[in-house]
Amino acid sequence: MHHNLQEVEEGKLMYFDKMKRVPSPLIGDHNCSVNNEKSINPRPRARSTSMKKTKNKTFESYEIDGIRPRTSSLPTKNNYRRPLIKNLRTNYEDQDHDLYRLRTFEMTSKGIVNRGDSIKSRSTNSIVSSEGDGNTLSIGSSSCSQNSLANSEGSLQRPKPYKIVILGALGVGKSTIVQQFLTSEYRFDISIDSQQEKMVSVLLDAEESTMEFIDLESELCDHEEGAFDCYVVVYSIDDRNTFDRGVDILYNLRHEKHINYAMILVGNKSDLVRTRIIQPEEAKPVAVQYDCKFIETSTVLNINIDELLVGILKQIRLKHKQEGRERLCGAEVGCINKSKTLLTKIFGKNTLSKSCDNLYVL
Ligand code: GDP
Ligand code: MG
C-alpha cells in the first residue's frame, strides 16, 4: 500500500518542526536583501567607512557573496557567511568528483545531534563549505580511518565504503529512506533516481566513514551473500504482509544463509498512527530472536532517520571491532564468546539479551 503526504493526518506540527532541517534561508535572505537594497532605499548611498565587497573573493567560482576574504587573522565567530550547499551541489556531485558531502553527527546524552553537512575536498582533505547549526566543524582534525590511503601524489584516495543492503517488500519506503540518508535537507517525495550513486560520508566520533546503500527490490543473489557490512530489513507498520515478509527475510539471512553481520529491523511509516497494525511490542521479540536491532522510522515526519543512519554505522564499527578483538584472542575460542558463556551461566540468558532498541551498542 502506498501512502503519500496527503494521507498523513497525524503529527503535522512535528512535520513543520522537522522541516527545520531544510537549510535555513540565511544565504537566500542575504541574496534577497542584496537584490532588494535599491528598491528599499532608493537614495544614493553616502560615502561610508564600512567595508565594501572584496575583490579577492575566495570561492569566486560559486558566485556567492559574503565570503570571508583571505586574511592572516583567525575568523571570529559568524563573521562571514558560508555558501549554501545547494548552490554547490551541481558543481560537486556531477562534475567534480573531488568534492563530496560530509554529514556530521555527535552522540550526546540526549541522543544523536545532527551537526549539519559540509562539502569537502578529497584531494586536500579540507573543508570547502559547511552548513549546519552554526557549530564549527574541525574537519582537518578528523581522521579518515576507514581504509583511507594517501596515494603517490599525496592526495587521499576515496575510502573503501561500507556496504549496506536495504531489503523489504515493495512500497515500504526503502528508496525514500536511502534518499533521506544522503543529505540533511528534507527530501521526502523527491523523485528517486535508481541509477544515482547512493553513497554518504559520515563523521562520527572524530572518525569519517563512507557508506554505500544498495536498495534491492529483489532477493539477495547467492553471490551477494556475505557481501555486505550491514543488512537493513524494512517493513511498513500499517501492513502485516510487509512485516511477515521482513520476518521471512531475517529467517533466511540468519538461519539459511547463516549471515552473521549486523542486522537492523526497521518499522517505517510510523506516522500512520491510525492505520498502524504492527505494534513495537510485536516487532521487538522478533528482532531479539534474530539478533537484530529494532527501530521505527518515518521519512514523512523525519523521525529516527538520522538515528538509523548513525545506528547502522555504529553497528558496523562495533561488529568490526568485535571481530578484530576475537581474532586477537585466538582462533580456538573467542574470548568474548568465552566471557559471554560465563556471564550467561552466572546471570541467566535474559541478562545478556541486549536491548534491541539501542542501536549504539552491540
Ligand atoms: P520502496 O518500494 O520500498 O523503495 O518504497 P518507496 O521508497 O518507493 O516508497 C513507497 C511509498 O511510500 C512512496 O509513496 C513514499 O512516498 C511512501 N513513504 C515512504 N516512507 C514513508 C513514511 O515514512 N510514511 C509515509 N506515510 N509514507 C512513506
Ligand atoms: Mg524502491
Side-chain angles (χ1 to χ4, degrees), residues 97-98 100 120-126 139-140 142-145 147-159 208:
H97 288 290
D98 181 53
Y100 65 101
K120 252 184 99 179
S121 164
R122 246 173 223 110
S123 52
T124 60
N125 197 26
S126 65
I139 303 299
S142 75
S143 62
C144 297
S145 67
N147 312 330
S148 80
L149 301 165
N151 64 19
S152 49
E153 284 101 43
S155 65
L156 281 172
Q157 280 174 3
R158 195 169 195 174
E208 193 180 313

Side-chain angles (χ1 to χ4, degrees), residues 73-109:
S73 65
L74 284 170
T76 52
K77 204 177 177 217
N78 288 340
N79 71 341
Y80 69 98
R81 285 186 180 86
R82 295 166 298 178
L84 249 194
I85 283 178
K86 67 182 172 198
N87 295 337
L88 304 179
R89 190 175 305 119
T90 49
N91 290 359
Y92 94 93
E93 273 173 358
D94 301 338
Q95 294 157 23
D96 193 347
H97 288 290
D98 181 53
L99 299 179
Y100 65 101
R101 179 185 294 259
L102 179 67
R103 304 197 60 197
T104 302
F105 297 96
E106 196 180 313
M107 293 188 74
T108 68
S109 53

Side-chain angles (χ1 to χ4, degrees), residues 100 122 146 158-164 199-202 208-212 313:
Y100 65 101
R122 246 173 223 110
Q146 189 190 340
R158 195 169 195 174
K160 196 168 164 271
Y162 291 136
K163 288 196 167 212
I164 298 109
M199 293 246 220
V200 64
S201 294
V202 173
E208 193 180 313
S209 302
T210 306
M211 301 156 86
E212 179 180 3
L313 181 56

Side-chain angles (χ1 to χ4, degrees), residues 51-66:
M51 208 170 79
K52 287 182 186 171
K53 257 196 265 173
T54 173
K55 280 180 188 166
N56 298 328
K57 278 194 298 183
T58 36
F59 312 123
E60 255 175 340
S61 55
Y62 302 124
E63 295 178 9
I64 293 164
D65 211 346

Side-chain angles (χ1 to χ4, degrees), residues 1-5 7-8 166-179 188-190 192 215-217 234 236 238 267-272 297-303 305:
M1 205 197 302
H2 286 230
H3 297 278
N4 55 32
L5 207 55
E7 288 175 272
V8 182
I166 317 278
L167 300 160
L170 190 72
V172 294
K174 300 182 296 294
S175 306
T176 318
I177 290 173
V178 171
Q179 188 76 3
F188 186 76
D189 257 11
I190 287 185
I192 297 154
D215 169 9
L216 280 186
E217 294 297 355
V234 187
S236 177
D238 73 329
N268 190 38
K269 308 197 186 182
S270 63
D271 52 282
L272 298 173
T297 55
S298 166
T299 48
V300 175
L301 300 181
N302 190 20
I303 295 171
I305 300 294

Side-chain angles (χ1 to χ4, degrees), residues 4-20:
N4 55 32
L5 207 55
Q6 283 82 36
E7 288 175 272
V8 182
E9 289 168 21
E10 287 77 18
K12 274 191 177 155
L13 268 176
M14 284 179 74
Y15 170 70
F16 286 109
D17 190 38
K18 292 287 178 179
M19 284 290 281
K20 280 180 194 160

Side-chain angles (χ1 to χ4, degrees), residues 192-310:
I192 297 154
D193 176 5
S194 56
Q195 298 304 308
Q196 195 189 322
E197 194 182 55
K198 290 157 184 158
M199 293 246 220
V200 64
S201 294
V202 173
L203 180 63
L204 177 74
D205 300 335
E207 193 180 316
E208 193 180 313
S209 302
T210 306
M211 301 156 86
E212 179 180 3
F213 293 94
I214 294 102
D215 169 9
L216 280 186
E217 294 297 355
S218 56
E219 294 281 326
L220 276 186
C221 300
D222 281 349
H223 72 269
E224 288 167 331
E225 285 169 31
F228 303 101
D229 297 284
C230 183
Y231 295 75
V232 178
V233 178
V234 187
Y235 67 90
S236 177
I237 63 133
D238 73 329
D239 186 340
R240 179 161 294 280
N241 288 338
T242 66
F243 179 68
D244 293 344
R245 176 89 192 92
V247 178
D248 287 348
I249 293 171
L250 290 178
Y251 178 85
N252 176 256
L253 292 174
R254 286 286 193 229
H255 296 310
E256 287 173 358
K257 297 200 162 100
H258 305 289
I259 290 172
N260 213 5
Y261 295 102
M263 273 178 214
I264 302 178
L265 179 63
V266 177
N268 190 38
K269 308 197 186 182
S270 63
D271 52 282
L272 298 173
V273 288
R274 291 189 188 170
T275 46
R276 177 190 280 274
I277 289 175
I278 310 298
Q279 302 296 334
E281 291 71 36
E282 186 176 354
K284 279 182 193 181
V286 173
V288 172
Q289 185 187 346
Y290 291 103
D291 194 17
C292 290
K293 293 295 174 182
F294 170 75
I295 191 167
E296 284 197 346
T297 55
S298 166
T299 48
V300 175
L301 300 181
N302 190 20
I303 295 171
N304 281 344
I305 300 294
D306 286 348
E307 285 74 6
L308 175 59
L309 177 66
V310 173

